[in-house]
């Protein structure tokens, strides 16, 4: 049975969750002001403030909460997530999502004192999606700079700001970073942040119930900053495009800031009305590209360090070599590698990362072989394959050999023994020594690192 005292139970749950989740996440989601727990026998009701929050708890914390509660109660406990003020306790959050009484009318918005507005804006943000946590590189420099200036001076810098790039490259992260920064620097400003899908669904729901249309318009058009994620979702939705056109005009005429992101530039969003297309390009259109190798390494490093599990350099290098197109997958690789290490109680090294990520790496259509590495090293460093495999200790040859061994180790699936054999029957310690020597020089000399990365690029290209 669960203890009947809700606040005391909440403290126990928070204490347990603190063991498994980062501190700021626990603070962001389980502070006393955010949730109420109402235990009753072997069920427990979690009351939250709005449907967005309900959805977030449902997606992210149901399992963990049920586990923790079951442990406290010593019997299986089921969690019911409800929005505060739902009619009775009968309505689950999912149904309540469409309920009228949860929508804030424009009159209510106007009634909120500006000081209190930020805290009550009901926007659910990921606490980690801040500017501080965003790694800047050539691929996203423009988008980042534009986002930053819009956050500093909403309505004054670029209007609208339109960010685009393919999936997993940080668009949502930047949009939310803008929200965090505005909340902090301009707490009086009203922000509305939602996905285009929510915009479309809310619009459709409000059209079906005419007395809600005004409330919907109030929510969209009386704000100081409107951010809409994945605006390409407007494709093919004429009614919503029309509505958004008027939303856009109202806000833009009043110099309110509009920020949009999309997976394609305005001209490539299918069936987008001409008048929206031109408007989207009025302010700043900034593209986010796939990150360069350098940026990928920096991101991996940041993510691993943030988890408190820094990896050896060559592991970052290995992952960055193999995952090129999506930052979400880079993050996933960090999580997987760290989890694998802790599960097997092993140190994180190249072999472990290779095993942990075996199934998730973006494998080139044909994997890189030691011979591919040797071919490029020979061509670029002006040596012959026979020389790589010879006993020669000539400086240029042994240097090329070390580099070849290092690249073979980080780019192919060959074992140290295979590599030793492919380089003229070198033993284990020679192979290790070569790898360490190259690694060390990469750490101390950026230009040498750049050179090795170029070679790696060449090798990959030779497989395309
Ligand atoms: P998108 O919205 O473009 O599909 P997201 O913003 O959801 O991509 O980013 C995917 C993941 O990658 C998120 O966890 C985000 O924090 C992370 N991410 C993306 N870009 C960066 C970056 N430059 N620095 C740090 N993390 C990033
Ligand atoms: Mg996104």
């Amino acid at each position: 049975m669960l203890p009947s005292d809700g606040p005391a139970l909440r403290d126990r749950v928070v204490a347990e969750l603190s063991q498994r989740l980062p501190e700021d996440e626990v603070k962001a989601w389980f502070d006393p002001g955010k949730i109420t727990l109402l235990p009753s026998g072997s069920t427990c009701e979690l009351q939250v403030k709005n449907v967005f929050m309900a959805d977030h708890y449902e997606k992210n914390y149901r399992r963990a909460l049920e586990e923790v509660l079951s442990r406290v109660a010593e019997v299986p406990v089921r969690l019911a997530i409800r929005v505060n003020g739902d009619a009775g306790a009968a309505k689950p959050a999912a149904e309540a999502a469409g309920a009228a009484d949860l929508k804030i009318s424009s009159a209510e918005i106007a009634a909120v004192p500006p000081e209190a507005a930020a805290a009550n804006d009901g926007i659910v943000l990921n606490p980690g999606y801040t500017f501080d946590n965003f790694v800047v590189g050539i691929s996203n420099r423009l988008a980042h700079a534009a986002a930053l200036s819009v956050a500093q001076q909403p309505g004054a810098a670029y209007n609208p700001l339109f960010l685009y790039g393919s999936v997993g490259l940080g668009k949502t992260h930047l949009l939310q970073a803008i929200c965090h920064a505005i909340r902090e620097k301009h707490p009086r400003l009203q922000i509305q942040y939602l996905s285009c899908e929510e915009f479309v669904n809310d619009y459709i729901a409000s059209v079906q119930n005419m007395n809600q249309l005004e409330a919907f318009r109030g929510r969209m058009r009386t704000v100081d900053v409107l951010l809409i994620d994945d605006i390409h979702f407007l494709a093919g939705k004429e009614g919503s495009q029309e509505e958004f056109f008027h939303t856009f005009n109202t806000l833009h005429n009043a110099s309110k800031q509009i920020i949009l992101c999309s997976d394609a530039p305005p001209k490539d969003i299918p069936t987008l009305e001409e008048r929206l297309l031109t408007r989207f390009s009025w302010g700043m259109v900034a593209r986010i590209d796939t990150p360069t190798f350098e940026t990928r390494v920096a991101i991996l490093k940041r993510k691993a360090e943030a988890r408190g599990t820094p990896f050896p350099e060559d592991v970052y290098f290995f992952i960055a070599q193999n995952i090129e197109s999506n930052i979400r997958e880079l993050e996933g690789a960090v999580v997987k590698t760290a989890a694998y290490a802790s599960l097997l109680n092993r140190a994180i090294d190249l072999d472990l990362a290779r095993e942990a990520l075996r199934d998730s790496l973006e494998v080139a259509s044909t994997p890189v072989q030691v011979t591919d590495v040797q071919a490029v090293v020979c061509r670029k460093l002006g040596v012959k394959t026979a020389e790589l495999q010879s006993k020669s200790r000539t400086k240029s040859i042994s240097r090329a050999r070390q580099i070849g061994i290092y690249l073979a180790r980080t780019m192919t699936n060959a074992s140290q023994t295979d590599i030793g054999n492919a380089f003229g029957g070198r033993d284990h310690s020679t192979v290790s020594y070569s790898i360490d020597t190259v690694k060390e020089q990469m750490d101390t000399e950026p230009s040498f690192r750049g050179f090795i990365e170029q070679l790696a690029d060449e090798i990959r290209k030779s497989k395309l």
Side-chain angles (χ1 to χ4, degrees), residues 129 166-173 175-176 193 229-230 232 261 328:
Y129 287 3
S166 73
V167 64
L169 295 185
K171 301 181 295 294
T172 297
H173 188 133
L175 251 55
Q176 296 203 11
Y193 164 78
D229 205 333
D230 291 336
H232 54 265
C261 75
R328 190 172 292 125

Side-chain angles (χ1 to χ4, degrees), residues 34-36 38 43-51 53-55 57-58 62 78-96 102:
K34 304 243 161 51
I35 59 163
T36 308
L38 296 176
T43 57
C44 185
E45 188 171 315
L46 169 73
Q47 288 199 342
V48 298
K49 287 194 173 147
N50 58 47
V51 285
M53 291 179 76
D55 187 50
Y57 288 94
E58 181 66 51
R62 169 179 289 283
R78 231 193 72 74
L79 190 73
I81 303 177
R82 313 236 184 260
V83 176
N84 266 340
D86 264 6
K91 210 185 295 164
E95 279 171 37
L102 295 167

Side-chain angles (χ1 to χ4, degrees), residues 267-282:
K267 68 173 177 36
D268 292 345
I269 301 178
T271 79
L272 187 68
E273 288 178 21
E274 189 65 30
R275 55 188 185 165
L276 279 178
L277 199 164
T278 44
R279 276 167 179 72
F280 288 176
S281 315
W282 274 353

Side-chain angles (χ1 to χ4, degrees), residues 66-312:
E66 285 185 341
E67 271 173 34
V68 168
L69 288 165
S70 303
R71 195 162 337 130
V72 174
E74 294 176 340
V75 291
V77 172
R78 231 193 72 74
L79 190 73
I81 303 177
R82 313 236 184 260
V83 176
N84 266 340
D86 264 6
K91 210 185 295 164
E95 279 171 37
D101 53 354
L102 295 167
K103 308 258 151 82
I104 310 163
S105 72
S106 50
E108 277 171 313
I109 290 175
V112 178
E115 297 78 0
N120 292 332
D121 61 12
I123 306 173
V124 178
L125 299 175
N126 182 323
Y129 287 3
T130 59
F131 281 118
D132 279 350
N133 289 340
F134 191 82
V135 176
V136 184
I138 310 170
S139 53
N140 57 24
R141 179 160 293 146
L142 179 65
H144 172 263
L148 209 55
S149 62
V150 160
Q152 273 153 2
Q153 292 192 293
Y158 313 105
N159 208 9
L161 171 61
F162 189 102
L163 305 177
Y164 74 94
S166 73
V167 64
L169 295 185
K171 301 181 295 294
T172 297
H173 188 133
L174 276 181
L175 251 55
Q176 296 203 11
I178 296 175
C179 293
H180 281 298
I182 293 181
R183 269 187 183 173
E184 193 174 306
K185 292 198 194 85
H186 309 279
R188 287 165 177 270
L189 295 187
Q190 277 281 342
I191 309 173
Q192 179 65 268
Y193 164 78
L194 72 172
S195 70
C196 186
E197 190 170 356
E198 285 172 287
F199 180 90
V200 170
N201 290 343
D202 279 11
Y203 170 63
I204 293 170
S206 70
V207 170
Q208 287 162 358
N209 187 346
M210 276 315 270
N211 57 16
Q212 279 185 44
L213 192 55
E214 279 316 301
F216 171 80
R217 291 189 172 148
R219 260 179 302 138
M220 298 303 146
R221 299 186 193 177
T222 60
V223 295
D224 301 295
V225 185
L226 176 69
L227 305 98
I228 299 202
D229 205 333
D230 291 336
I231 194 76
H232 54 265
F233 191 76
L234 278 184
K237 305 189 177 63
E238 284 168 27
S240 301
Q241 288 196 19
E242 166 90 22
E243 179 65 23
F244 186 68
F245 172 74
H246 296 293
T247 307
F248 186 102
N249 286 346
T250 307
L251 290 172
H252 199 273
N253 288 341
S255 297
K256 303 298 188 187
Q257 181 69 49
I258 301 163
I259 302 151
L260 308 170
C261 75
S262 157
D263 65 1
K267 68 173 177 36
D268 292 345
I269 301 178
T271 79
L272 187 68
E273 288 178 21
E274 189 65 30
R275 55 188 185 165
L276 279 178
L277 199 164
T278 44
R279 276 167 179 72
F280 288 176
S281 315
W282 274 353
M284 158 79 85
V285 177
R287 184 168 98 178
I288 306 184
D289 279 312
T290 48
T292 59
F293 181 86
E294 289 281 324
T295 310
R296 297 200 296 280
V297 170
I299 290 171
L300 286 166
K301 209 167 171 171
R302 179 78 68 90
K303 303 281 175 190
E305 284 171 3
R307 300 175 51 86
T309 50
F311 297 176

Side-chain angles (χ1 to χ4, degrees), residues 312-388:
E313 283 282 317
D314 56 339
V315 174
Y316 296 135
F317 190 42
F318 168 72
I319 300 175
Q321 295 279 12
N322 286 286
I323 300 180
E324 299 188 297
S325 55
N326 185 322
I327 296 174
R328 190 172 292 125
E329 280 171 22
L330 286 178
E331 266 188 321
V334 169
V335 173
K336 258 191 203 163
T337 307
Y340 196 80
S342 97
L343 212 64
L344 300 184
N345 201 13
R346 275 171 53 188
I348 295 170
D349 60 16
L350 206 50
D351 283 324
L352 178 119
R354 228 187 270 276
E355 283 171 41
L357 303 176
R358 193 178 296 139
D359 299 326
S360 50
L361 295 179
E362 286 170 6
V363 264
S365 46
T366 41
V368 175
Q369 306 292 341
V370 178
T371 46
D372 302 319
V373 174
Q374 289 175 329
V376 171
V377 168
C378 288
R379 179 155 49 82
K380 288 286 176 182
L381 282 87
V383 295
K384 300 196 174 67
T385 314
E387 288 174 325
L388 287 182

